[in-house]
Amino acid sequence: NYVNFGVFALYEDKALENALEVALQLIMSVGLEDVLSFPKLSRHYFSFLDVLFRNHLPFVAAKDTGTFMTLMTVLHEGLQALDPPMSTHCASAIDYLASYLFINRDKDWQSLQMLNAHVAQDSTLFPSLTSTLFTQLLFGPYSNHWSVTRPMLSLMMADEQSFTSYRDHLISTQSPENQQKLNEAFAKLLTDVQRNLEPTNRDRFAQHLATFRQAVRGFLTY
């Protein structure tokens, strides 16, 4: 019940690549407004992007920067949807991207170089995703809690500055009393969190996020 995708490249068979290209062009021909207007369409649309980022990131990396940024914009919009399945697919795709960049950061892969080149074209990409994820966590419905927490650790690992900048900005918007409380909450959030994406570390961070959300919502002004 599986397909070994690597076989296609090994035998220089373009069938899979051509199929992915047609599917990608098809979904990109549909306007984002139309996608978000039809729930059944949007779920299949974002499910495809989830699979694409999970299994075929080298294919995504090989696209031009404009196409890559369009995909990231679509994922960013879907991440803010109130429909949990939609936001879950988007969060999952973002997690696969950030995890890929972090885990393979020391490898000399062409796909990694191309992805880093795409990301470097927009310095606001990861910071904006980090801000949206924390906003969803703190102010969004609880039904979206699990989905939005999934990529937060991988994004922080892939671009620590994005997390630091968001933390400092959020603290700066609070009263002096709340600043101290928020500082303490962020310190607890990072307690015992290691610089890796092992399942135990992910679970620990997810638990800390739940505690962070509950504690901060009691006093945070936004």
Side-chain angles (χ1 to χ4, degrees):
N1 297 324
Y2 71 93
V3 175
N4 188 341
F5 295 121
V7 169
F8 290 94
L10 181 63
Y11 288 95
E12 299 183 353
D13 187 338
K14 296 288 186 179
L16 175 62
E17 183 179 341
N18 292 340
L20 289 173
E21 184 64 36
V22 170
L24 180 60
Q25 291 303 319
L26 180 61
I27 69 165
M28 292 193 68
S29 69
V30 183
L32 181 58
E33 184 176 346
D34 291 331
V35 173
L36 298 177
S37 298
F38 298 95
K40 288 185 179 180
L41 170 62
S42 66
R43 291 182 186 183
H44 290 294
Y45 182 98
F46 288 111
S47 177
F48 172 76
L49 291 181
D50 187 354
V51 171
L52 191 67
F53 275 68
R54 179 173 73 237
N55 296 322
H56 307 289
L57 267 176
F59 170 81
V60 174
K63 301 297 103 180
D64 61 87
T65 299
T67 298
F68 176 81
M69 288 303 175
T70 297
L71 293 176
M72 295 309 300
T73 298
V74 167
L75 290 174
H76 196 175
E77 288 297 322
L79 189 64
Q80 302 171 71
L82 297 179
D83 181 46
M86 188 190 308
S87 58
T88 297
H89 283 311
C90 294
S92 179
I94 293 167
D95 179 51
Y96 288 127
L97 172 64
S99 297
Y100 186 88
L101 292 174
F102 173 71
I103 293 172
N104 302 305
R105 62 193 181 281
D106 295 326
K107 296 177 180 176
D108 188 26
W109 292 350
Q110 185 178 15
S111 60
L112 193 65
Q113 294 171 3
M114 290 188 291
L115 283 173
N116 280 321
H118 292 324
V119 172
Q121 293 300 308
D122 184 0
S123 60
T124 68
L125 179 60
F126 281 177
S128 63
L129 288 172
T130 299
S131 177
T132 295
L133 287 167
F134 268 99
T135 299
Q136 291 288 82
L137 173 72
L138 295 174
F139 304 105
Y142 187 77
S143 58
N144 275 14
H145 179 201
W146 183 88
S147 63
V148 300
T149 59
R150 181 169 177 79
M152 293 177 82
L153 181 62
S154 55
L155 270 175
M156 187 170 70
M157 295 294 103
D159 185 7
E160 291 186 41
Q161 186 57 44
S162 293
F163 170 77
T164 302
S165 296
Y166 175 80
R167 180 194 62 194
D168 293 346
H169 170 72
L170 186 62
I171 291 174
S172 71
T173 65
Q174 302 300 299
S175 66
E177 180 182 359
N178 284 353
Q179 285 183 3
Q180 182 177 353
K181 293 180 181 178
L182 196 53
N183 255 320
E184 293 172 354
F186 271 115
K188 291 179 180 178
L189 174 63
L190 299 178
T191 300
D192 296 327
V193 175
Q194 307 299 315
R195 186 172 168 75
N196 64 65
L197 294 176
E198 296 297 324
T200 53
N201 199 44
R202 282 182 178 270
D203 291 343
R204 182 182 302 113
F205 187 67
Q207 292 169 4
H208 287 189
L209 281 171
T211 303
F212 177 81
R213 180 182 190 271
Q214 184 176 4
V216 169
R217 281 169 63 93
F219 64 83
L220 190 69
T221 57
Y222 191 76

